[in-house]
Amino acid sequence: MENPRQLWDNPLQFVFACISYAVGLGNVWRFPYLCQMYGGGGFLIPYLIMLIVEGMPLLYLELAVGQHMRQGSIGAWKIISPYLSGVGIASVVVSFFLSMYYNVINAWAFWYLFHSFQDPLPWASCPLNSNHTNYDEECAKTSSTQYFWYRKTLNISPSIEEYGSIQWEQAVCLILAWLVVYLCILRGTESTGKIEQLANPKTWINAATQIFFSLGLGFGSLIAFASYNEPNNNCERHAMIVSLINSSTSIFASIVTFSIYGFKATFNYENCLSKVILLLTNVFDLEEGALTADNLDSMKDYLTSTYPNQYAELLPQIKNCSLEAELDTAVQGTGLAFIVYSEAIKNMEVSQLYSVLYFVMLLMLGIGSMLGNTAAILTPLTDSKFLSTHLPKEVISGIVCFINCIVGLVFTMEAGNYWFDIFNDYAATLSLLLIVLVETIAVCYVYGLKRFEKDLLLMLGHKPNWYWKIMWAFVSPVLIISLVIFYLTDYIRTGTLQYQAWDATQGQLVTKDYPSYALAVIGLLVAASTMCIPLGALIIFIMKRLKRNVSTLE
């Protein structure tokens, strides 16, 4: 006898699980970066439009499919059509790729959290060199926060071609991160240019992709979560709630982020002015207090005309301090989470407290998203009669976590951050767009929109209104096709793919070309998931054809 499917204790538990999955690290670091790059508050216009025409409809569609079919991604699409079983497999593959590297971020957050209890914070100042006569040369050329990130945390190699060894401290933190995720899984469903930028197509494309990836569409996690709902759960209302809370969190995170940007920029600007004033005062033997931030420019002109030769020799050492330049420096990803924020935290009162709170928050966001990612993998596996009859859920979960953890050790090597960037940039971009495009077409034109309407009527007591139907049948597919075309043309125009490598001698990032084997890995990452869709359909076609031939011979 088949075991009854586990259910959420109440609808609120389901909503919180979806919010925990959707509200992730991208809300904290990618959305503020996009706002800064594409017109500040003006970016909210295309963002909110994309939320209405793309985010909410597709989220509602995935929740409805999962709730009605009561299966993970593989089983749900197989019910709609056997030829679509590859769509679910593609979602599992993408989620597997994501889980491989995403938990490394939680490992880094653990590393920073453990170091947050030191006084002073270890990234507050540069360490001394081996002779204890001056600051470390690499740190002196950059900043204490960048030095702690690139040298103490990553111990990064000069290029992707120099693998280096596994950093045991990071490896231990990664194992801890996976242990926390596994323990949570065991508890089951209980724990889980301003306005002119609007004319720039990239602004709209980035607004659409931010909505798309922030909500986690196409990974299969939402279908998995919804499959544990009661059949009459109001997934329409929950789709709207999750979408709005996710976007509100992004906007709130931006307000906090821009406050920190302003704090950091002002601090760096004032620090730069102080160094220039001290340098000029000492070299030209000026009276203390004669040179201030207010009269710095006029004094520079005076010194240039009075001591032209001496000033010319000193000029390479005089930094050009600009508050605007500091504010215009856009940072995303790990640079924002582990460099910019730690830069601001170290200058706060009671910096240890704020550091602990910040990195605990990062862990909560990261682990919440990880539980959603692993649910997308585990639900189809535990739905499999063959696996579930031979192995208990705890063992299946343990095997998945163990495999991901072992593979994740690659990202703890000295060149690991470069491979992290490859997975982050290419493992779930084009693949997800194609997956969700096929999902939308499958529901509207394979399963049938009218049939889907009747299913929703049975579940919710009413049919979807014209807004949902227009978005599903026309607007969303056209939008996704546009995104796919944009990505392909953008990659073709870009030419050779490049990455940012850390140059210790300069204390800054430099651009390098990916080697051929890295390009091959990028191609495999994209092909491994996308090819599941046509291959799945082809295998089912061949199997049916063979079965038909066998029955004909009999």
Side-chain angles (χ1 to χ4, degrees):
M1 185 176 174
E2 204 172 301
N3 292 328
R5 192 170 189 80
Q6 189 177 7
L7 298 174
W8 300 102
D9 290 340
N10 54 70
L12 197 60
Q13 197 179 59
F14 163 69
V15 173
F16 281 145
C18 289
I19 292 170
S20 176
Y21 167 64
V23 178
L25 297 170
N27 300 67
V28 175
W29 65 37
R30 181 164 167 77
F31 183 78
Y33 163 79
L34 292 175
C35 284
Q36 189 177 10
M37 286 292 291
Y38 298 102
F43 181 74
L44 289 177
I45 296 172
Y47 176 79
L48 293 174
I49 290 172
M50 290 301 172
L51 173 65
I52 294 168
V53 302
E54 180 191 48
M56 282 196 238
L58 297 178
L59 178 59
Y60 180 18
L61 183 140
E62 287 205 351
L63 294 183
V65 167
Q67 184 171 309
H68 180 66
M69 304 303 174
R70 304 189 63 71
Q71 291 282 321
S73 55
I74 296 175
W77 297 111
K78 194 174 180 181
I79 291 171
I80 288 175
S81 171
Y83 293 102
L84 294 173
S85 56
V87 178
I89 296 170
S91 293
V92 172
V93 170
V94 171
S95 293
F96 196 77
F97 287 155
L98 185 70
S99 296
M100 283 181 188
Y101 77 88
Y102 196 93
N103 220 19
V104 178
I105 303 172
N106 292 328
W108 293 333
F110 270 123
W111 166 260
Y112 268 80
L113 177 63
F114 297 150
H115 283 80
S116 297
F117 294 97
Q118 297 181 32
D119 186 19
L121 292 172
W123 56 84
S125 60
C126 286
L128 295 174
N129 58 23
S130 56
N131 298 326
H132 296 279
T133 55
N134 208 337
Y135 289 124
D136 180 273
E137 186 180 351
E138 182 182 358
C139 189
K141 289 179 179 178
T142 176
S143 67
S144 58
T145 49
Q146 284 185 306
Y147 176 81
F148 186 82
W149 169 246
Y150 288 111
R151 187 54 52 216
K152 294 298 183 180
T153 304
L154 302 177
N155 192 24
I156 197 166
S157 62
S159 72
I160 194 172
E161 294 167 283
E162 299 176 48
Y163 301 115
S165 58
I166 290 175
Q167 308 302 299
W168 69 267
E169 300 98 333
Q170 302 306 319
V172 169
C173 288
L174 179 64
I175 292 168
L176 175 61
W178 272 111
L179 182 62
V180 170
V181 170
Y182 179 63
L183 292 175
C184 291
I185 290 170
L186 290 185
R187 295 190 62 191
T189 56
E190 295 176 8
S191 59
T192 353
K194 315 318 173 198
I195 203 70
E196 62 265 22
Q197 283 287 353
L198 297 181
N200 182 356
K202 275 198 171 185
T203 305
W204 293 85
I205 295 296
N206 278 288
T209 51
Q210 175 60 20
I211 286 288
F212 192 89
F213 297 118
S214 178
L215 289 172
L217 302 170
F219 287 101
S221 303
L222 297 166
I223 292 174
F225 282 155
S227 71
Y228 299 109
N229 276 335
E230 293 283 359
N232 61 347
N233 180 67
N234 193 337
C235 54
E236 178 183 17
R237 182 173 61 196
H238 292 159
M240 296 175 72
I241 290 171
V242 172
S243 300
L244 293 173
I245 289 178
N246 178 65
S247 296
S248 300
T249 307
S250 294
I251 295 168
F252 175 74
S254 294
I255 295 169
V256 176
T257 300
F258 288 132
S259 299
I260 291 175
Y261 265 139
F263 177 86
K264 174 183 173 289
T266 304
F267 181 86
N268 289 349
Y269 172 66
E270 290 176 350
N271 194 37
C272 179
L273 288 177
S274 299
K275 288 180 180 179
V276 172
I277 290 170
L278 182 63
L279 178 67
L280 294 176
T281 301
N282 291 338
V283 171
F284 294 101
D285 198 23
L286 302 174
E287 287 185 21
E288 191 174 343
L291 193 57
T292 63
D294 295 329
N295 66 3
L296 182 59
D297 291 334
S298 59
M299 285 296 289
K300 279 183 179 180
D301 294 335
Y302 168 75
L303 294 171
T304 304
S305 58
T306 310
Y307 310 100
N309 295 332
Q310 194 175 355
Y311 191 86
E313 291 178 10
L314 190 67
L315 194 59
Q317 300 179 47
I318 300 174
K319 292 184 178 179
N320 183 25
C321 304
S322 170
L323 182 60
E324 288 76 16
E326 290 284 351
L327 289 169
D328 287 340
T329 304
V331 185
Q332 70 165 324
T334 50
L336 178 60
F338 295 101
I339 299 175
V340 175
Y341 277 99
S342 58
E343 178 80 31
I345 288 168
K346 76 172 188 178
N347 298 310
M348 294 177 180
E349 296 290 335
V350 202
S351 55
Q352 288 78 15
L353 174 62
Y354 285 107
S355 184
V356 168
L357 292 174
Y358 171 69
F359 289 110
V360 166
M361 180 203 73
L362 274 193
L363 280 170
M364 293 301 102
L365 291 174
I367 290 171
S369 295
M370 272 304 303
L371 292 176
N373 295 334
T374 50
I377 303 168
L378 293 173
T379 301
L381 294 179
T382 52
D383 283 344
S384 166
K385 290 182 181 179
F386 175 78
L387 284 176
S388 59
T389 52
H390 289 83
L391 295 171
K393 182 182 176 182
E394 293 78 11
V395 174
I396 297 172
S397 303
I399 292 170
V400 169
C401 290
F402 179 75
I403 292 171
N404 275 296
C405 185
I406 294 300
V407 175
L409 291 175
V410 171
F411 305 111
T412 67
M413 297 174 70
E414 290 176 32
N417 194 56
Y418 304 129
W419 290 105
F420 174 90
D421 288 337
I422 284 177
F423 273 71
N424 191 39
D425 292 339
Y426 302 105
T429 304
L430 186 63
S431 309
L432 283 183
L433 292 173
L434 293 173
I435 289 169
V436 178
L437 175 62
V438 174
E439 286 181 355
T440 312
I441 293 171
V443 169
C444 294
Y445 302 105
V446 177
Y447 188 74
L449 190 55
K450 287 188 177 179
R451 189 178 170 190
F452 191 55
E453 280 185 71
K454 291 177 182 177
D455 293 340
L456 291 172
L457 177 63
L458 288 173
M459 288 194 297
L460 309 179
H462 64 85
K463 289 185 177 181
N465 59 37
W466 60 269
Y467 160 71
W468 300 113
K469 289 188 283 187
I470 290 175
M471 294 300 123
W472 291 332
F474 177 71
V475 178
S476 293
V478 169
L479 185 60
I480 297 169
I481 291 169
S482 303
L483 289 171
V484 170
I485 293 170
F486 166 78
Y487 272 113
L488 293 175
T489 54
D490 191 50
Y491 286 145
I492 291 168
R493 269 187 276 173
T494 301
T496 305
L497 297 176
Q498 297 178 318
Y499 69 101
Q500 296 287 304
W502 179 252
D503 189 336
T505 59
Q506 299 181 51
Q508 63 181 30
L509 293 167
V510 294
T511 303
K512 293 186 177 183
D513 292 337
Y514 275 121
S516 55
Y517 61 83
L519 295 175
V521 171
I522 291 170
L524 285 172
L525 284 175
V526 176
S529 53
T530 53
M531 291 306 294
C532 290
I533 300 172
L535 284 175
L538 181 62
I539 289 168
I540 294 297
F541 175 77
I542 293 170
M543 287 174 64
K544 287 195 171 188
R545 195 68 181 262
L546 290 172
K547 194 179 290 184
R548 192 182 304 161
N549 290 340
V550 170
S551 61
T552 304
L553 290 171
E554 290 175 353

